[in-house]
């Protein structure tokens, strides 16, 4: 590898550092050293600087300190091998560039905030990515739904190539973060001209107009090791190792790079993120970077995505049913608007439902899709509104009726992943649309069936041997089937309602998040779902049937050691091993002593409010203040990384209405404050539980952000509504 390139990288770093120094000096001259600054919704200050150096940047003065440190680091590097820097020198110079460039972004943001936050032109610049986004996408990153993160810099030679590359990433489910421009063009504009949809839902996000904005991707990635990895700020080597081993990111750079871009690219390489360039660049093989190449040139656009996936060693499982439209998770979030709709089902406009039921092996014919209705061929080929009963019959030797609901819930994403098709709701409150565009591409109602047979085989092949789909479009059929289906739904709900922690001898673990939080284990019981909210006991049970060596393992409860706190010998034994000896014992039903650990993707945080003798609950995404004097992001930063933090706990939102929710601490009567959004989402189930506890109006006695945001007012409010918590035994023992 050429020492020449290393030299250019060092020069680029020098020029970024000089720019930073100047910007800091100017900003201090006009605003003063004490001018404070923070990026929105983060507990990690300037995250790259914080993670790598431990310095919490709060003011312009701190930015000056950071830029001086970067300068000293570069000076030291330059002195090592004068005139002939090594690859290691270049990588470190890259890190110095990242530290400095993060200061540039902070000052830029500070100035922009005063002007206008965003330029909107069909896409909005994302800018800084908040902590919440990492937590929200956590599950998808660990379960492989998002198999990788591509950072796209520059511009493609033409619009067509830009679309081709991005669609290929999208079909593979890869999250694409875009920054910068080439000569008079940018990938974002190229995509915009081809009417590609932007946004987190579509997995195409534009970070900013300059190449340097790609840094927002790195500042986001570094929060994976801070949040999930529980790695301390300032432990540079640990952070870099975590990033290299666990964060599946890579860079695709289009167009000729300049020295500064090369310096930032070297920083990405130091993070273990390979850089794939469309230029004829020399290949750099860096020791320890996965699997071996750190910089490669792939001038062929047909191959560039495939090579990137190979180099970053991503596991991509693409399953595309035979439908005439693009298909993949990246299309799941798109909507079909009314004016673009060709055919519509349900949504109060016509009776519609979906129902999955178990049949005997010889009662159904595999992969058969039938439409039933008078003149159905004509009717499904003409625009309008139709009734629909989608009945999915499955059979299999390992199929259990308990799995019906689990598989039925997947109908939603199965259909939604088709481009130009939209699905909402479930059971007998579904609403579906086929767009004009999809219709023109040849997509018809029958494809709903084709999608289900293909995807159910694909995801549940281990338990389902045969799938047959019948689509009824005559109103009287639909109404008749709806009656039968409603009985089946009721029966199913009754069975689930009967499932309690006592009624089973086996709980399940979820180890998926261990790819980010190596010691974290979710223990999932019938009455406690995983803290991300995505997996309940039946899901875990089905997942174990499907993949006995996968991320969900059965745990025999064993002897009950403590009924009040929910402590079992079998679970303690399992946890010790599965947490790599970091967790000795677990209490399922308390927050105060050896509570469940948290990874980072919890839907809510429960925290004690000592002066109220109770707990408060705040949801992910809430940006206001809470009565414990911390915002969600700050609280969340201290509840994660797979450690037990008595008094604080991450939970799935539906756990709140479970009879086992902090049972040992007094249950839901301990809840003194909860955000309005949580109240709305669980109102019905919560009120039912409250009635069982003999206090049907408990929800109204619980404060929320419209009532107070601090402890003092909270206590006042509680006295006014006679909240039960103050009368309960002291939480602190
Ligand atoms: Fe992660 Fe727990 Fe959700 Fe599994 S259940 S994906 S371990 S948060
Ligand atoms: Zn998690």
């Amino acid at each position: 590898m050429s020492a020449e390139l290393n030299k250019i990288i060092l020069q680029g770093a020098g020029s970024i550092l000089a720019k930073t120094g100047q910007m800091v000096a100017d900003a201090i001259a006009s605003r003063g050293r004490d001018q404070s600054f923070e990026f929105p919704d983060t507990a990690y200050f300037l995250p790259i600087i914080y993670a790598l150096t431990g310095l919490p940047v709060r003011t312009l003065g701190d930015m000056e300190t950071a830029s001086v440190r970067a300068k000293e680091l570069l000076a030291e590097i330059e002195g090592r091998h004068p005139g002939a820097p090594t690859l290691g020198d270049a990588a470190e110079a890259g890190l110095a560039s990242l530290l400095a460039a993060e200061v540039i972004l902070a000052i830029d943001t500070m100035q922009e905030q005063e002007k206008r936050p965003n330029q909107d032109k069909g896409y909005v610049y994302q800018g800084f990515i908040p902590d919440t986004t990492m937590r929200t996408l956590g599950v998808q990153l660990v379960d492989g739904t998002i198999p990788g993160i591509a950072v796209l810099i520059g511009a493609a030679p033409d619009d067509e190539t830009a679309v081709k590359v991005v669609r290929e990433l999208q079909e593979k489910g890869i999250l694409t973060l875009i920054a910068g421009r080439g000569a008079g063009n940018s990938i974002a504009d190229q995509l915009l001209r081809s009417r590609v949809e932007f946004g987190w839902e579509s997995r195409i996000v534009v970070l900013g107009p300059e190449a340097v904005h790609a840094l927002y991707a790195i500042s986001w990635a570094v929060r994976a090791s801070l949040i999930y990895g529980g790695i301390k700020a300032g432990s540079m080597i640990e952070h870099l190792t975590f990033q290299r081993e666990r964060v599946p990111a890579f860079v695709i750079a289009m167009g000729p790079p300049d020295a500064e871009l090369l310096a930032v690219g070297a920083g990405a390489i130091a993070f273990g993120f390979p850089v794939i360039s469309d230029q004829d660049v020399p290949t750099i093989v860096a020791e320890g970077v996965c699997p071996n190449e750190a910089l490669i040139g792939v001038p062929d656009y047909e191959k560039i995505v495939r090579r990137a996936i190979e180099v970053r060693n991503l596991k991509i499982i693409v399953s595309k049913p035979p439908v005439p439209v693009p298909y993949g998770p990246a299309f799941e979030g798109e909507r079909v608007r009314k004016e673009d709709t060709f055919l519509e089902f349900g949504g109060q406009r016509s009776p519609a439902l979906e129902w999955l039921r178990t049949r005997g092996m010889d009662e159904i014919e595999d992969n058969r899709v039938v439409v039933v209705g008078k003149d159905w061929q004509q009717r499904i080929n003409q625009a309008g509104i139709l009734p629909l009963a989608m009945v999915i019959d499955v059979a299999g030797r390992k199929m259990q009726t308990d799995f019906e609901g689990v598989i039925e819930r997947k109908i939603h994403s199965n259909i939604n992943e088709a481009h130009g098709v939209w699905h909402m709701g479930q059971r007998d409150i579904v609403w579906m649309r086929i767009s004009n565009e999809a219709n023109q591409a040849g997509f018809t109602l029958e494809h709903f069936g084709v999608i289900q047979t293909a995807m159910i085989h694909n995801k549940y092949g281990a338990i389902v041997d045969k799938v047959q789909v019948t689509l009824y479009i005559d109103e009287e059929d639909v109404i008749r089937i709806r009656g039968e289906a409603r009985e089946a739904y009721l029966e199913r709900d009754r069975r689930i309602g009967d499932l309690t922690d006592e009624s089973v001898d086996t709980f399940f673990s979820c180890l998926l998040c261990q790819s980010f939080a190596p010691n974290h284990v979710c223990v999932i019981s019938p009455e406690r779902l995983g803290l991300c909210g995505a997996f309940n006991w039946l899901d875990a049970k089905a997942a174990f049937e499907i993949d006995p060596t996968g991320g969900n393992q059965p745990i025999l409860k064993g002897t009950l050691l403590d009924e009040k706190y929910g402590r079992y010998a079998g679970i303690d034994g399992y946890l010790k091993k599965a947490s790599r000896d970091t967790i000795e014992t677990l209490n399922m039903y308390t927050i105060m002593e050896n509570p469940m650990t948290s990874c980072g993707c919890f839907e809510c945080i429960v925290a004690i409010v000592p002066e109220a003798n109770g707990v408060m609950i705040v949801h992910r995404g809430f940006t206001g203040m809470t009565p414990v004097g911390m915002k969600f992001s700050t609280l969340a930063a201290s509840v994660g990384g797979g450690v037990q933090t008595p008094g604080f706990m991450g939970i799935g939102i539906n756990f709140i209405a479970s009879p086992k929710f902090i049972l040992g601490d007094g249950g839901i009567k301990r809840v003194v404050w909860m955000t309005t959004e949580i109240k709305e989402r669980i109102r019905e189930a919560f009120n039912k539980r409250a009635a069982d506890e003999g206090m049907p109006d408990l929800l109204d006695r619980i404060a929320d952000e419209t009532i107070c945001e601090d402890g003092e007012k909270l206590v006042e409010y509680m006295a006014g509504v006679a909240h039960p918590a103050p009368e309960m035994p002291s939480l602190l023992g």
Side-chain angles (χ1 to χ4, degrees):
M1 217 294 300
S2 71
E4 219 26 61
L5 185 58
N6 296 341
K7 254 199 241 165
I8 300 176
I9 289 171
L10 261 65
Q11 278 161 16
S15 113
I16 292 176
L17 264 56
K19 210 184 270 178
T20 311
Q22 192 56 50
M23 274 181 89
V24 172
D26 291 349
I28 288 179
S30 67
R31 295 158 193 266
R33 258 190 192 79
D34 295 334
Q35 165 77 49
S36 63
F37 171 78
E38 55 185 32
F39 279 123
D41 183 25
T42 182
Y44 304 101
F45 313 96
L46 271 55
I48 301 177
I49 294 175
Y50 186 59
L52 299 189
T53 72
L55 177 73
V57 173
R58 296 186 175 92
T59 61
L60 273 176
D62 295 334
M63 290 186 208
E64 186 180 39
T65 310
S67 88
V68 169
R69 280 199 204 167
K71 218 173 261 170
E72 286 166 359
L73 174 62
L74 186 65
E76 195 255 311
I77 298 165
E78 282 169 339
R80 278 185 214 155
H81 311 95
T86 65
L87 180 57
D89 297 339
E92 278 189 66
L95 288 178
S97 318
L98 296 186
L99 300 177
E102 197 174 35
V103 170
I104 296 184
L105 292 185
I107 294 180
D108 257 355
T109 307
M110 184 187 279
Q111 285 159 354
E112 282 279 317
Q113 275 168 355
E114 285 154 25
K115 285 187 259 160
R116 60 199 163 113
N118 263 318
Q119 282 166 276
D120 189 341
K121 46 181 210 163
Y123 52 82
V124 173
Y125 292 129
Q126 164 70 38
F128 184 81
I129 309 174
D131 294 358
T132 306
T133 309
M134 175 56 79
R135 298 180 186 282
T136 315
L137 295 185
V139 182
Q140 295 175 55
L141 285 164
V142 298
D143 78 359
T145 317
I146 300 179
I149 300 158
V151 183
L152 236 61
I153 307 176
D158 51 63
D159 295 5
E160 214 188 328
T161 309
V163 173
K164 201 203 132 328
V165 169
V166 168
R167 282 279 186 241
E168 193 176 342
L169 291 165
Q170 216 178 10
E171 285 215 358
K172 298 204 157 53
I174 292 171
L175 172 65
T176 303
L177 305 174
I178 295 174
R181 56 178 148 220
N185 218 337
S186 76
I187 303 177
D189 287 334
Q190 292 175 324
L191 297 177
L192 185 66
R193 280 193 291 270
S194 309
R195 306 195 52 201
V196 169
E197 251 187 75
F198 294 91
W200 288 97
E201 304 261 275
S202 314
R203 301 196 184 172
I204 305 175
V205 175
V206 187
L207 297 173
E210 306 299 334
V212 69
H213 293 125
L215 212 75
Y216 283 130
I218 299 179
S219 101
W220 185 56
V222 85
R223 266 160 294 156
S225 38
L226 285 164
I227 291 175
Y228 293 91
I231 296 172
K232 298 234 150 33
S235 306
M236 169 141 68
I237 300 297
E238 276 98 329
H239 278 290
L240 296 180
T241 309
F242 184 102
Q243 294 291 321
R244 185 176 69 229
E245 289 175 354
R246 298 175 187 270
V247 178
F250 58 90
V251 181
I252 293 183
M254 300 209 202
D258 60 19
E260 290 185 10
L261 187 56
L262 281 171
V264 171
I269 289 173
F271 265 72
F273 306 156
V275 178
I276 294 85
S277 163
D278 65 349
Q279 307 293 300
D280 202 3
V281 294
T283 298
I284 299 182
V285 178
E287 195 67 32
V289 173
C290 56
N292 41 39
E293 292 136 317
L295 172 69
I296 50 170
V298 185
D300 182 350
Y301 295 99
E302 292 292 324
K303 293 194 185 134
I304 198 161
V305 172
R306 214 173 335 129
R307 276 296 277 144
I309 288 169
E310 247 167 57
V311 171
R312 194 63 182 106
N313 207 6
L314 303 183
K315 275 190 222 56
I316 310 264
I317 309 153
V318 225
S319 31
K320 185 178 183 298
V323 289
V325 292
Y327 189 92
F331 303 108
E332 194 183 332
E334 63 173 15
R335 295 183 64 93
V336 174
R337 284 181 314 211
K338 191 159 180 275
E339 56 273 28
D340 301 327
T341 301
F342 175 71
L343 252 185
E344 184 165 19
F345 314 87
Q348 314 282 336
R349 291 166 170 80
S350 67
L353 70 121
E354 60 198 22
W355 177 25
L356 185 134
R357 55 187 188 183
T358 315
R359 283 284 178 261
M361 284 291 269
D362 40 15
E363 286 178 277
I364 59 174
E365 189 183 318
D366 193 22
N367 290 325
R368 177 146 184 257
V369 177
V370 218
V371 183
V372 178
K374 197 166 170 292
D375 303 327
W376 66 269
Q377 256 140 336
Q378 275 170 22
R379 284 162 65 206
I380 67 169
N381 285 312
Q382 126 196 344
I385 299 172
L386 285 177
L388 178 67
M390 175 161 38
V391 179
I392 302 177
D393 290 318
V394 299
R397 266 152 304 157
K398 289 174 79 182
M399 180 64 195
Q400 301 176 17
T401 41
D402 272 355
F403 299 154
E404 287 174 357
V406 173
I407 307 177
E408 191 181 275
R409 275 216 313 271
K410 291 282 189 271
I411 295 176
H412 170 76
S413 52
N414 289 348
I415 292 188
N416 251 339
E417 290 188 11
H419 182 45
V421 182
W422 181 71
H423 180 285
M424 211 176 94
Q426 23 104 12
R427 294 188 170 180
D428 56 352
I429 51 163
V430 286
W431 187 3
M432 292 171 258
R433 280 173 172 170
I434 296 173
S435 70
N436 286 316
E437 192 194 337
N439 172 256
Q440 272 148 29
F443 190 99
T444 76
L445 176 64
E446 285 177 283
H447 288 111
F448 279 180
V450 173
I451 289 175
Q452 299 308 336
T453 55
M455 296 311 283
I456 291 172
H457 274 304
N458 189 294
K459 289 181 186 153
Y460 297 97
I463 47 182
V464 171
D465 298 317
K466 287 183 174 180
V467 189
Q468 171 178 311
V469 181
T470 317
L471 302 150
Y472 298 89
I473 58 168
D474 279 343
E475 182 147 343
E476 61 191 76
D477 284 341
V478 175
I479 302 280
R480 174 178 50 82
I481 290 162
R482 192 169 63 184
E484 289 171 42
R486 280 179 178 165
E487 267 173 47
Y489 302 147
L490 270 180
E491 165 62 18
R492 209 191 273 165
D493 289 346
R494 197 190 49 71
R495 264 207 320 269
I496 291 175
D498 286 349
L499 267 182
T500 60
D501 287 5
E502 291 77 25
S503 71
V504 302
D505 58 7
T506 306
F507 292 172
F508 287 90
S509 65
C510 186
L511 306 170
L512 283 181
C513 281
Q514 288 202 343
S515 52
F516 268 3
N519 302 331
H520 171 73
V521 181
C522 271
V523 178
I524 303 181
S525 71
E527 293 176 278
R528 183 171 192 168
L529 78 172
L531 55 84
C532 59
F535 299 97
N536 64 27
W537 186 82
L538 281 175
D539 295 322
K541 187 168 177 239
F544 173 67
E545 286 293 333
I546 292 163
D547 181 5
T549 58
N552 296 101
Q553 293 296 314
I555 319 174
L556 266 178
K557 285 191 308 192
T559 321
L560 179 63
L561 302 175
D562 184 336
E563 187 176 1
K564 187 170 163 221
Y565 278 1
R567 187 166 147 243
Y568 295 89
I571 293 175
D572 280 357
Y574 174 88
L575 262 186
K576 198 163 154 29
K577 258 196 306 180
S579 70
R580 293 156 226 256
D581 282 326
T582 56
I583 305 297
E584 286 289 329
T585 181
L586 168 78
N587 291 319
M588 292 284 288
Y589 312 142
T590 175
I591 188 177
M592 297 308 294
E593 212 183 294
N594 299 311
M596 187 100 74
T597 62
S598 299
C599 39
C601 34
F602 31 77
E603 288 186 296
C604 305
I605 295 175
V606 189
I608 57 162
V609 190
E611 65 268 41
N613 200 32
V615 302
M616 55 146 253
I617 313 176
V618 55
H619 69 274
R620 183 176 70 205
F622 181 76
T623 51
M625 192 38 90
T626 74
V628 293
M630 282 185 265
K631 292 181 178 176
F632 176 88
S633 52
T634 317
L635 257 177
S638 52
V639 190
V643 290
Q644 290 175 320
T645 38
F648 302 89
M649 190 163 70
I651 59 162
I653 188 167
N654 289 333
F655 181 47
I656 302 169
S658 158
K660 296 297 193 291
F661 173 72
I662 58 170
L663 179 67
D665 308 322
I668 50 171
K669 285 185 183 165
R670 282 289 182 191
V671 181
V672 297
W673 189 97
M674 180 156 83
T675 56
T676 44
E677 184 175 325
I678 301 180
K679 283 184 171 180
E680 279 323 306
R681 278 183 56 191
I682 61 167
R683 182 173 292 276
E684 205 179 317
F686 189 93
N687 283 341
K688 222 166 132 238
R689 274 286 304 132
D692 290 346
E693 292 286 313
M695 195 170 278
D697 66 342
L698 177 60
L699 198 59
D700 298 330
R701 302 189 201 205
I702 295 173
D704 57 47
E705 74 275 17
T706 65
I707 293 163
C708 61
E709 293 186 327
D710 64 82
E712 208 174 305
K713 287 220 186 69
L714 173 62
V715 173
E716 255 171 54
Y717 175 79
M718 287 168 61
V721 296
H723 191 288
E727 301 301 320
M728 296 168 81
S730 168
L731 249 189
L732 300 171

